[in-house]
Amino acid sequence: MERIAGIEGGTLECAIWDAAGRALWFVDIPGAKLHRLDPASGDLKIWTMPQHIGCFALREKGGAVVALRDGLYAFDFATGACAPIWKGDWDPATTRFNDGRCDARGRFYAGTMFEPRTRAGGALYRLDPDLTVTKVVDATTVSNGLAFAPDGARAYFADSPTHTVTIYDVGADGSFANGRRFAEYGPGMGRPDGGAVDAEGHYWSAAVDGGKVLRWRPDGTIEREIPVPTPWPTMVCLGGDDLKTLFVTSLKSNRTAEQLAQWPQSGGLFRTRVDVPGRVEPKFAG
């Protein structure tokens, strides 16, 4: 697995491949930055947010929806303006948005995390194209790993401290129901972080603290493991012109000097080639 030179952050996350723009987008959460990388040329553009950014979605009409510490905002790349869409009812000193993505119908789902991690104070929310917000899953600690099956009828969702990935049935209205355990991370496997589903319906997951990426079959068994040159991968993304480049983000936040000396590539962005393509990432329809 190759590290992409010149890219480093505290916690790189939410990697999304923009097929139309032929670019990789990702965030640095503690750096409050949104990045756009052209892998072909190496050109990197960075926008600084007014708060920590957990995740985002590009909009069909241009710009993006960004999930910041206290709510959802519309972001204009040309002007840098960040206009509020919806403010959460939590204390932003302890709770913030974390992982999220759009489904095939252009609805944006974003989950929160309770940073002290002492209780299930987070939730998963859905932003519909008419800009209404609905709570979809309640009582999570660290919302993570959200990805949708190719048919859109099922969604994968992880609460990282529980070491489990849950699968839900997705209703026509975007509701989640019938949650059941899909995968459990046993001793030495790390915890489920960011995820993605490929064209064959397999679920890819970054195993943070496990130093690898896992590809899970739809039946909940592991099809392959790919080692990462850091114990702390955070997100996976299948991109490139043929959607067969696996991009992996990672973190170095809150690591000791000794840990970073042992794993100096932590906080980097990595890529490797795989034999199965991903799927085109939907954009927010609102």
Side-chain angles (χ1 to χ4, degrees):
M1 185 169 287
E2 169 199 14
R3 182 176 181 178
I4 300 177
I7 297 175
E8 187 173 1
T11 302
L12 301 185
E13 262 282 12
C14 192
I16 291 176
W17 178 256
D18 174 17
R22 302 174 72 182
L24 181 73
W25 295 77
F26 56 97
V27 307
D28 179 4
I29 296 176
K33 297 183 186 301
L34 175 59
H35 302 71
R36 180 191 184 276
L37 172 69
D38 180 341
S41 68
D43 180 61
L44 179 67
K45 291 184 172 62
I46 301 175
W47 292 266
T48 300
M49 300 291 124
Q51 303 173 23
H52 293 160
I53 176 172
C55 60
F56 72 99
L58 299 175
R59 303 180 82 168
E60 291 178 356
K61 64 182 183 181
V65 175
V66 293
L68 303 186
R69 180 166 281 277
D70 68 357
L72 301 171
Y73 294 77
F75 184 72
D76 187 314
F77 292 112
T79 66
C82 212
I85 296 173
W86 176 80
K87 292 290 187 74
D89 60 357
W90 55 81
D91 178 2
T94 59
T95 303
R96 63 166 175 82
F97 269 114
N98 194 49
D99 184 74
R101 71 175 347 117
C102 281
D103 70 3
R105 297 193 182 193
R107 299 175 292 213
F108 180 50
Y109 295 76
T112 56
M113 64 174 287
F114 184 65
E115 288 182 313
R117 307 191 189 196
T118 55
R119 62 179 175 86
L124 178 68
Y125 299 87
R126 184 186 72 244
L127 175 66
D128 287 319
D130 65 1
L131 303 187
T132 59
V133 175
T134 303
K135 186 181 289 186
V136 179
V137 178
D138 202 2
T140 65
T141 305
V142 180
S143 297
N144 243 322
L146 181 65
F148 295 91
D151 62 4
R154 287 160 293 125
Y156 300 88
F157 180 68
D159 187 357
S160 295
T162 69
H163 293 250
T164 59
V165 179
T166 300
I167 190 167
Y168 290 90
D169 296 327
V170 182
D173 61 353
S175 59
F176 282 24
N178 191 29
R180 62 267 189 202
R181 180 172 296 181
F182 169 73
E184 183 171 3
Y185 287 61
M189 292 178 64
R191 294 171 286 117
D193 208 315
V197 172
D198 63 30
E200 295 180 352
H202 288 55
Y203 179 71
W204 294 76
S205 173
V208 68
D209 287 330
K212 54 196 169 188
V213 169
L214 303 174
R215 185 179 187 239
W216 296 83
R217 299 182 183 92
D219 65 3
T221 58
I222 295 174
E223 186 270 341
R224 76 182 72 172
E225 300 183 8
I226 301 176
V228 181
T230 170
W232 308 293
T234 55
M235 181 66 177
V236 293
C237 169
L238 290 159
D241 288 343
D242 61 0
L243 300 179
K244 290 184 179 180
T245 297
L246 177 68
F247 294 98
V248 183
T249 59
S250 68
L251 66 81
K252 64 176 182 178
S253 299
N254 302 317
R255 307 301 104 169
T256 66
E258 291 77 12
Q259 287 175 318
L260 294 178
Q262 182 178 5
W263 302 102
Q265 299 191 68
S266 300
L269 173 66
F270 308 93
R271 65 184 167 192
T272 191
R273 296 287 289 168
V274 295
D275 58 354
V276 59
R279 295 157 54 232
V280 173
E281 192 75 26
K283 295 183 179 180
F284 179 60

